[in-house]
Amino acid sequence: MKASSGSAHLSRRRFVGQVSVGAAALAFGSRLFGQSSATPKKLGIALVGLGSYSTGQLAPALKRTEFVELRGVVTGSREKGRQWARTFGFPETSIYGYDTMHQLADNRDIDIVYVVTPNALHAEEVIAAAKAGKHVICEKPFTTNVADAEAAIAACRAAKVKLSIGYRLHFDPFHQELKRLAHEKDFGVLAKMTGANGFQMGRKVWRAERKLAGGGPLMDMGIYCVQEACMAADGAAPIAVTAREHPKTRPEFFTDVEEGLDWTMEFANGAKAELMTSYNQNVGRFRAEGAAGWINLEPAFGYRGIRLTSSKGPTALKELPSQQALQLDDFALCVREGRESRVAGEMGLRDMEIIEAIYAAAQSGQRTLVKV
Ligand code: NAD
């Protein structure tokens, strides 16, 4: 399966447009929204799952967004839902349970549903949202296997709703610079890449249970390295991978998922990435080198504080206030304009294909072709 051209190959014109999407959208707001007012009507969004990412990152982002606002929640706790309704000023009739998501179909205030639950629940919730006629953002990893990702994409297509993945770094200026360098080849082909992402897991949570997480740190943290290597390869998917699981130092903790993993990704143009993920090490870095220069991101993957250095010297790029607010606003504009997201469902599917190949390679010990 091919990654969509929208997500995989960005023209310079489109890339530049994306960098300044906030400003451009503001300037053209009234035209886009078909209104004469300078303040266009916002789209409504409902968050599914009110855990740490929704609370700590998406809720504050939704207070900054210009084109979308929180108008509902799907939660297992009605009381928590009431608190969110009071804070965000939406009616209690817009609080749903996981088993009543189908009733979203009757709620005209809600245009978009954002799935932020444990990984193994994503596919069924994306499908429920699509069947209710809502556009969908799904957190990473899209699903826990390729078949579920295909089913979720098919449901969105059948319902004619847009689908995107919560790949917030595509809205970060430093990662956009990596994509620009990869595309315009200022440093030549970025043929040698290295990267690592992980954290020291102290308390056992669903992230270390196969049933809910689908795997270990590769699904959760390593996916950022997978994403980054594909960005540095100008949107290409790897053709083959090799992988080796780390020996377990806490086997009682990591009973049915990996504790850590080293893997490589080989690209058709000869580029190679050597990557690592772990639930036993606080790390977040990525480096890509071409014949004419290098780019280094460290810390590479955080919500804030990303640091970019390159052989060009100091960067003039500045951090923007909220990756998530930009991501949310961009999706709202995609819905309004009828265009595909730069982080469309097909990109999530591509990454599931790569992750499945990495797990297969770790199990067999063999170089494994990627089906993408
Ligand atoms: P969390 O554990 O803090 O929250 C998960 C929420 O899902 C909780 O509110 C929980 O009550 C609810 N839930 C519903 N059904 C559940 C079930 N059967 N078992 C357990 N919980 C259930 O997790 P989180 O950190 O908010 O992560 C949620 C999703 O967001 C994950 O897919 C994760 O990968 C993703 N995430 C993305 C980023 C990012 O930077 N894009 C950051 C953190 C998390």
Side-chain angles (χ1 to χ4, degrees), residues 49-54 80 98 116-119 121-122 139-141 166 168 206-207 212 220 224 303:
L50 304 178
S52 60
Y53 193 59
S54 284
K80 210 192 243 189
Y98 296 102
V116 203
T117 50
N119 312 342
L121 309 176
H122 291 181
E139 255 319 313
K140 48 58 56 178
R168 59 186 163 77
W206 63 262
R207 283 180 162 75
L212 283 171
D220 187 26
Y224 287 91
Y303 307 135

Side-chain angles (χ1 to χ4, degrees), residues 65-110:
T65 41
E66 295 174 51
F67 304 115
V68 59
E69 65 189 9
L70 190 68
R71 294 205 196 124
V73 290
V74 178
T75 171
S77 159
R78 185 115 198 126
E79 187 38 46
K80 210 192 243 189
R82 281 197 201 100
Q83 285 164 16
W84 281 65
R86 280 194 293 275
T87 305
F88 281 87
F90 58 80
E92 290 190 11
T93 47
S94 294
I95 305 170
Y96 298 87
Y98 296 102
D99 53 348
T100 58
M101 275 184 73
H102 59 278
Q103 292 173 5
L104 279 161
D106 302 322
N107 192 332
R108 298 189 56 188
D109 289 342
I110 295 169

Side-chain angles (χ1 to χ4, degrees), residues 129-157:
K131 283 190 174 159
K134 306 302 175 186
H135 302 283
V136 191
I137 309 175
C138 179
E139 255 319 313
K140 48 58 56 178
F142 180 17
T143 57
T144 54
N145 59 65
V146 169
D148 281 359
E150 287 174 340
I153 287 176
C156 291
R157 281 202 189 122

Side-chain angles (χ1 to χ4, degrees), residues 179-199:
K179 284 175 28 169
R180 189 195 65 74
L181 281 169
H183 190 65
E184 295 182 7
K185 301 197 172 48
D186 299 21
F187 298 156
V189 169
L190 297 171
K192 188 176 168 214
M193 309 172 211
T194 52
N197 197 26
F199 70 94

Side-chain angles (χ1 to χ4, degrees), residues 101 104-105 113 115 123-136 151-163:
M101 275 184 73
L104 279 161
V113 164
V115 173
E124 64 193 73
E125 289 164 357
V126 169
I127 292 168
K131 283 190 174 159
K134 306 302 175 186
H135 302 283
V136 191
I153 287 176
C156 291
R157 281 202 189 122
K160 297 191 169 56
V161 295
K162 303 246 168 266
L163 169 63

Side-chain angles (χ1 to χ4, degrees), residues 242-247 260-264 275 277 358 361-363 365:
T242 62
R244 187 185 63 85
E245 197 177 321
H246 297 172
L261 197 79
D262 294 321
W263 77 101
T264 66
L275 305 163
T277 190
I358 294 168
Q363 197 148 40

